Amino acid sequence: MKRTAEVVLGIIGALAYGFLAVIGGIIVWLQSNEDVARGFYDDMMAQSPELELPDYQVFIDSFGTTGIILLIGSILAIAVGVVAMVLLRGNKKPKVAGIMFIVTAVLVAVISLGTGVIAGAFYLIAGIMCLVRKPKQLIV
């Protein structure tokens, strides 16, 4: 049985996680550049004075932590997704690949506080398809 749909959904999910990894990298870079980060913080304060933002140092620390979580979580999700797609190749172990897709989607969505939900949806659908689809039986 060909598992093209599952692999395509896995690739789309990996690309979405790649996008999140880039965003996490940009956030980490922004934290390390004091001038750019200060300008970003001041712009946020000027645009939304009714928001009660924490002081600058607390904001930058939490911002950097968010970036690191996004970056590491997305890279791990991409790696697990590639392993799952390799397991799908040739229909070797679709059940294991499905479980890997589902667990990765749920964990990264929870760890990233919902940021990875859209990317995780592709992994989740691919995982469910891996578990549900059965090979056709030839009737002789």
Side-chain angles (χ1 to χ4, degrees):
M1 167 188 281
K2 293 187 177 185
R3 298 279 184 171
T4 307
E6 290 91 334
V7 172
V8 168
L9 286 169
I11 290 171
I12 293 170
L15 290 174
Y17 279 123
F19 179 70
L20 287 176
V22 168
I23 290 174
I26 290 171
I27 291 172
V28 170
W29 172 81
L30 183 64
Q31 179 194 18
S32 64
N33 289 338
E34 182 74 28
D35 296 335
V36 177
R38 176 59 81 173
F40 181 73
Y41 180 78
D42 291 341
D43 286 345
M44 283 182 58
M45 291 294 287
Q47 289 178 0
S48 303
E50 68 277 356
L51 289 178
E52 293 183 27
L53 291 175
D55 66 334
Y56 174 73
Q57 193 57 44
V58 172
F59 173 77
I60 253 340
D61 289 342
S62 63
F63 202 60
T65 303
T66 302
I68 290 171
I69 289 172
L70 269 178
L71 184 64
I72 292 173
S74 297
I75 290 172
L76 289 175
I78 292 169
V80 172
V82 168
V83 170
M85 286 183 266
V86 168
L87 290 174
L88 281 175
R89 187 176 160 160
N91 204 22
K92 292 177 191 164
K93 296 184 179 186
K95 302 288 184 200
V96 175
I99 292 169
M100 288 173 69
F101 274 137
I102 292 171
V103 169
T104 302
V106 171
L107 282 179
V108 173
V110 169
I111 290 171
S112 68
L113 300 176
T115 308
V117 168
I118 294 182
F122 293 108
Y123 273 17
L124 187 65
I125 294 168
I128 291 170
M129 286 177 69
C130 288
L131 295 175
V132 173
R133 287 180 64 189
K134 305 282 185 210
K136 292 181 182 176
Q137 304 251 337
L138 292 176
I139 300 174
V140 182

